[in-house]
Amino acid sequence: MTSEIDPTTLTVSLFCFLLVTGLGFLATRWRRPKAAYNIDEWGLGGRSFGTWITWFLIGGDFYTAYTMIAVPALVYAVGAPGFFALPYTIIVYPFVFAVMPALWKRAKAAGYVTSGDVVFGQFGSRPLELAVALTGVVASMPYIALQLLGMAAALKALGLQGEIPLMIAFLVLAIYTYAAGLRAPALIAFVKDIMIYVVVVAAVVLIPSVLGGYGAVFTSAEAAFTAKGSGGILLAPNQYSAYATLALGSCLGAFMYPHTLTGILASKSANTIRKNAMLLPIYTILLGLLAMLGYMGHAAGLKLDTPNDVVPALFKTLFPHWFAGFAFAAIAIGALVPAAVMSIGSANLFTRNFWKAYVNPRVTPAGEAKVAKITSIFVKAGALLVILYLPTQFAINLQLLGGVWILQTLPALLFGLFTKWFRAPALLAGWAVGLCGGTYLVWDAGWAPIHAVNLGSGPIAVYTGLVALVLNIAVASAVNVLVRGAGSARAPTAASGR
């Protein structure tokens, strides 16, 4: 893929980026609250987002710029296993429909802003609250860094080399997120998603017509995998268990992340969440079409430095320059929405579950908003430093570990919604075992997310995060029996606020 600057492509991209930047700053006046500005307004948009805003917001930060680059790249590199994101983003929505309205009601009634708030309210344990909050922040940092990596891929395709363009994009993102809070990514998500839909529909209609149809695309992809000696357009029998458990584990962990939970808590009602659980699978169709670009890369005979170049190279090779500019802008803007929501979610966790809990318990609501706004800048700066000064593979490994880690917060966050049986020390012990055990298994497998488990009929490949979660729940249950036997009482659920 060439890296020369094309004036037409660059001009169209800059125009789209400036348009969205203007919207980001306009968001400071959009749905401006009448009441005093607090963390509810800055970090959750006043908990007032209806069905469509929530749909665009959650879709915008769930289907990220890195997804647009990484999913086709994985399909290009390994074939069928790269489609695991499809079942994962199908089964996740029944989970959201069944579980998240209960979480929203608990958070709304008690004024909870973060997962740490919910855990402290349910169990009254500062250590458990801190464990959940710290896991959320640490797991989010590499996730934000990968969004910047997706943006860097788009900038590279535009011929913008070096660190300056990425730093400018970071500054723009930081400034309007600071000023408008969650309203900025919510407003930008409308434009971003429309652009993405236009790009993907154009790609899946026009590219196969140029390459001889979908039959030719699949034939070329299979021939490429056969020549390479690995991968294929169908799963091998020994990949079934890895594929299924990866989808299930990813589904369970998806809405434990601070950014996805922020979208849930910003909804105006439990019914809004249920409606979105029914509407959000439309994005899964988009994801499936996007993944097909990986196969199209083989059919187009692309010569790539890295699989991450497959989508930019397709657009640069097969589309007019102006449309390539539109597509690269869509990818770059696709990084802004999730990166903004992720930094806001992490800032909320720091403010509520560290600053207010340990540094300044008497901080005012306005003071909370100020701390969160400043923290959001530091979070984004940290992610930028990861991209600039650490090897890319390190960020990817950290994000992989982040997925395993965030899954270990599920018992502490959700079990208290449906049962009063568990005690905080037991959940804390389960979290520690799941976190440490999962980290060891990922490292032991050479930073691969799959681990061989022997269930008596021979080893099968299973997603490491799911293995760690089973360990987590088993340890929490065993310790809970001992704790309850010792007469430990459960802390009462907080009635309101913090």
Side-chain angles (χ1 to χ4, degrees):
M1 185 174 68
T2 62
S3 57
E4 296 178 359
I5 293 178
D6 178 81
T8 303
T9 305
L10 183 60
T11 301
V12 171
S13 283
L14 285 177
F15 173 79
C16 295
F17 194 81
L18 290 173
L19 175 67
V20 168
T21 299
L23 278 178
F25 288 107
L26 184 66
T28 58
R29 297 177 177 275
W30 180 54
R31 301 166 68 94
R32 175 179 286 181
K34 296 178 181 177
Y37 212 66
N38 55 36
I39 197 168
D40 254 29
E41 294 295 342
W42 183 84
L44 293 181
R47 303 179 196 257
S48 63
F49 293 160
T51 301
W52 286 112
I53 297 176
T54 301
W55 187 75
F56 278 106
L57 181 63
I58 295 178
D61 80 278
F62 193 39
Y63 299 86
T64 66
Y66 189 68
T67 300
M68 294 170 60
I69 295 293
V71 170
L74 189 59
V75 171
Y76 177 85
V78 303
F83 281 90
F84 87 92
L86 280 188
Y88 143 47
T89 54
I90 292 172
I91 59 180
V92 72
Y93 296 117
F95 175 78
V96 170
F97 186 95
V99 174
M100 288 301 150
L103 182 65
W104 181 90
K105 288 178 182 177
R106 185 70 60 86
K108 173 68 175 178
Y112 301 147
V113 177
T114 69
S115 56
D117 286 355
V118 176
V119 168
F120 181 74
Q122 293 182 151
F123 299 100
S125 167
R126 286 290 185 205
L128 188 60
E129 172 198 23
L130 183 61
V132 169
L134 190 62
T135 305
V137 173
V138 174
S140 292
M141 290 288 286
Y143 212 156
I144 302 171
L146 292 188
Q147 303 319 306
L148 300 181
L149 198 62
M151 181 182 286
L155 295 175
K156 175 186 171 187
L158 286 169
L160 299 176
Q161 305 289 345
E163 300 161 353
I164 300 299
L166 193 61
M167 294 177 72
I168 292 172
F170 157 79
L171 281 175
V172 170
L173 171 68
I175 292 171
Y176 67 63
T177 303
Y178 180 93
L182 195 62
R183 287 180 172 83
L187 190 58
I188 292 171
F190 283 98
V191 178
K192 171 252 184 187
D193 284 358
I194 291 170
M195 291 177 70
I196 295 293
Y197 271 102
V198 169
V199 167
V200 173
V201 170
V204 298
V205 171
L206 296 180
I207 294 178
S209 69
V210 174
L211 299 177
Y214 273 98
V217 168
F218 287 119
T219 301
S220 299
E222 185 61 39
F225 291 128
T226 301
K228 190 171 65 170
S230 63
I233 62 173
L234 296 176
L235 288 175
N238 63 357
Q239 294 175 319
Y240 292 168
S241 58
Y243 187 86
T245 55
L246 193 57
L248 178 61
S250 300
C251 154
L252 294 175
F255 280 80
M256 301 300 107
Y257 278 103
H259 61 283
T260 46
L261 199 58
T262 295
I264 292 293
L265 298 184
S267 305
K268 74 175 182 180
S269 72
N271 273 337
T272 299
I273 297 168
R274 294 189 187 97
K275 289 177 184 175
N276 267 278
M278 293 186 286
L279 294 172
L280 280 167
I282 296 172
Y283 278 98
T284 303
I285 299 172
L286 180 76
L287 184 63
L289 297 175
L290 194 62
M292 292 292 292
L293 297 180
Y295 288 158
M296 294 178 200
H298 288 297
L302 299 178
K303 303 300 179 187
L304 306 175
D305 297 332
T306 163
N308 282 346
D309 287 340
V310 64
V311 171
L314 275 173
F315 284 104
K316 205 162 186 175
T317 304
L318 300 175
F319 279 91
H321 294 177
W322 69 268
F323 192 80
F326 182 80
F328 297 152
I331 296 173
I333 294 165
L336 297 180
V337 173
V341 183
M342 289 170 190
S343 66
I344 289 170
S346 297
N348 289 345
L349 279 169
F350 176 84
T351 303
R352 296 281 290 193
N353 309 118
F354 180 76
W355 187 267
K356 185 171 183 177
Y358 295 99
V359 178
N360 184 7
R362 295 183 178 180
V363 62
T364 64
E368 282 186 321
K370 187 175 181 180
V371 172
K373 290 165 77 172
I374 295 171
T375 304
S376 74
I377 294 177
F378 281 101
V379 170
K380 284 190 276 289
L384 183 65
L385 292 175
V386 168
I387 290 297
L388 294 182
Y389 295 108
L390 294 177
T392 301
Q393 188 58 44
F394 186 73
I396 293 173
N397 288 339
L398 278 180
Q399 200 276 334
L400 170 66
L401 277 174
V404 174
W405 293 340
I406 202 69
L407 192 53
Q408 308 317 311
T409 65
L410 184 147
L413 183 58
L414 297 188
F415 283 7
L417 295 175
F418 304 104
T419 175
K420 295 183 178 180
W421 188 68
F422 281 99
R423 301 290 184 265
L427 291 169
L428 191 60
W431 168 84
V433 170
L435 197 82
C436 297
T439 303
Y440 171 77
L441 291 177
V442 170
W443 171 81
D444 187 54
W447 300 103
I450 303 297
H451 204 81
V453 175
N454 195 333
L455 298 178
S457 57
I460 61 171
V462 178
Y463 174 47
T464 305
L466 209 54
V467 175
L469 180 63
V470 171
L471 286 173
N472 179 340
I473 295 173
V475 169
S477 300
V479 174
N480 203 61
V481 170
L482 299 176
V483 171
R484 285 174 64 92
S488 174
R490 187 175 188 275
T493 300
S496 63
R498 287 292 314 272

